[in-house]
Amino acid sequence: MTTVYCIFKVPDKYANMYPHIGNEGRKKFSGMVTAMDEGIGNITRALQAKGMLDDTIILFTTDNGAELFKYGNNYPLRGGKHTLWEGGTRGVAFMAGAGLQHTGIKYNGLIHSIDWMPTLIGAAGAPQAEVDGVNQWDSIRLNQPSKRSEFIYNLDDFRIPTQGHAAIRVGDWKLILGYPGESDGWTKPMNDTKDTVLLYNIYSPGDTPSYLFNITDDPREFYNVADQHPDIVQKLTKRIQEYRLLMVPAKYPANDPAADVAAKNNGNAWASGWC
């Protein structure tokens, strides 16, 4: 007897575009991506029909790597969503449209997700608001070096955090301190698997060493070189501690039994959203 865990739904016409995928969850996931592509195409054609496309910038990006436990894939990168590995934190993006001086290229500059707002404000020629992030518009449109040299992946003081304890990127170097997140390893797409839930490569939050990678040379995070470069580990650890002095503590209020009462009076639903 085969247990099917798939919770995804997509019109059959999209899922049926992938008859070669035996894993039902992965098949529907792929169909969902195709449906999204079609929707973006519809928007693009509508802009073109209205004569607006030449004055439009399209940015397509993500806020994290794919969720391995729900049929996503980040191979050949390590790990996935809810981790500090590159598979959980390295996102792909593309930009097209007005103002770009170099097109059809791959931009390798360092960009953090919080840079997109000031970058788009810069692209629009509007006054910059006081927000976190770096305006990378000139770097992207002219294919120039990034204006960013470092960023924090995460800072979490919980003993077993949901997203990993702490990590920083400075130049080519990435340091992970403590628990890196729940999934590990280099997981290939589940196209040919019969089970539909990832039940392996689960990271055990025991005594976790420091991890140091040269991300430029080793983007797949195969080689932990912390022991070979204690000076860099010390330098980046100090930088993390400096960020800790600036961070606003996370607010996790205690459980409130009144929430259950409120939910029962609201069609068994909590509001507002998760974000």
Side-chain angles (χ1 to χ4, degrees):
M1 179 176 177
T2 301
T3 302
V4 178
Y5 298 90
C6 180
I7 59 173
F8 290 154
K9 294 182 182 297
V10 69
D12 289 341
K13 70 173 185 176
Y14 297 106
N16 291 341
M17 294 178 182
Y18 299 93
H20 61 288
I21 297 180
N23 183 302
E24 188 66 18
R26 180 69 178 174
K27 183 176 181 178
K28 290 184 177 180
F29 180 97
S30 301
M32 291 169 68
V33 172
T34 299
M36 179 183 63
D37 287 345
E38 182 179 290
I40 295 170
N42 292 340
I43 293 171
T44 304
R45 283 188 291 273
L47 288 168
Q48 190 170 30
K50 295 289 186 179
M52 300 168 63
L53 190 59
D54 290 341
D55 297 320
T56 299
I57 293 174
I58 296 176
L59 170 65
F60 188 90
T61 186
T62 178
D63 59 350
N64 46 249
E67 171 64 271
L68 297 177
F69 301 95
K70 294 180 180 176
Y71 315 105
N73 186 259
N74 306 293
Y75 190 81
L77 299 178
R78 185 173 183 174
K81 185 179 177 180
H82 309 302
T83 78
L84 298 175
W85 305 119
E86 289 295 283
T89 57
R90 179 179 291 218
V92 296
F94 72 78
M95 181 179 280
L100 295 174
Q101 301 298 309
H102 295 263
T103 58
I105 64 169
K106 178 181 178 181
Y107 185 73
N108 292 312
L110 197 63
I111 295 178
H112 192 283
S113 58
I114 62 173
D115 295 342
W116 287 124
M117 179 178 285
T119 297
L120 293 174
I121 290 174
Q128 285 290 339
E130 290 195 17
V131 296
D132 292 332
V134 177
N135 178 4
Q136 302 269 21
W137 176 235
D138 285 342
S139 298
I140 295 171
R141 74 183 183 90
L142 300 174
N143 193 25
Q144 294 179 349
S146 170
K147 295 180 180 178
R148 175 181 288 281
S149 60
E150 69 177 55
F151 60 75
I152 284 284
Y153 290 85
N154 196 42
L155 291 176
D156 196 328
D157 292 323
F158 278 70
R159 188 180 71 83
I160 303 179
T162 58
Q163 313 291 336
H165 269 127
I168 189 172
R169 171 81 180 268
V170 178
D172 295 333
W173 295 103
K174 175 181 178 180
L175 177 70
I176 300 177
L177 296 179
Y179 177 54
E182 61 183 348
S183 61
D184 196 3
W186 297 265
T187 305
K188 293 184 178 181
M190 295 183 289
N191 294 352
D192 299 321
T193 58
K194 293 182 180 179
D195 62 301
T196 58
V197 172
L198 184 69
L199 298 176
Y200 54 92
N201 285 343
I202 308 301
Y203 198 96
S204 177
D207 294 329
T208 309
S210 299
Y211 295 92
L212 179 69
F213 302 100
N214 185 313
I215 292 299
T216 300
D217 295 339
D218 181 26
R220 298 178 67 181
E221 296 174 301
F222 275 126
Y223 308 107
N224 180 9
V225 295
D227 291 343
Q228 292 95 298
H229 299 281
D231 55 328
I232 297 177
V233 172
Q234 183 179 17
K235 179 181 178 181
L236 269 59
T237 300
K238 181 181 178 181
R239 191 74 180 115
I240 286 178
Q241 298 306 328
E242 291 171 352
Y243 275 108
R244 285 191 186 279
L245 296 176
L246 301 174
M247 66 183 288
V248 177
K251 184 178 180 181
Y252 286 100
N255 291 336
D256 187 349
D260 287 332
V261 176
K264 290 177 181 178
N265 294 330
N266 191 39
N268 293 320
W270 286 275
S272 57
W274 59 270
C275 203

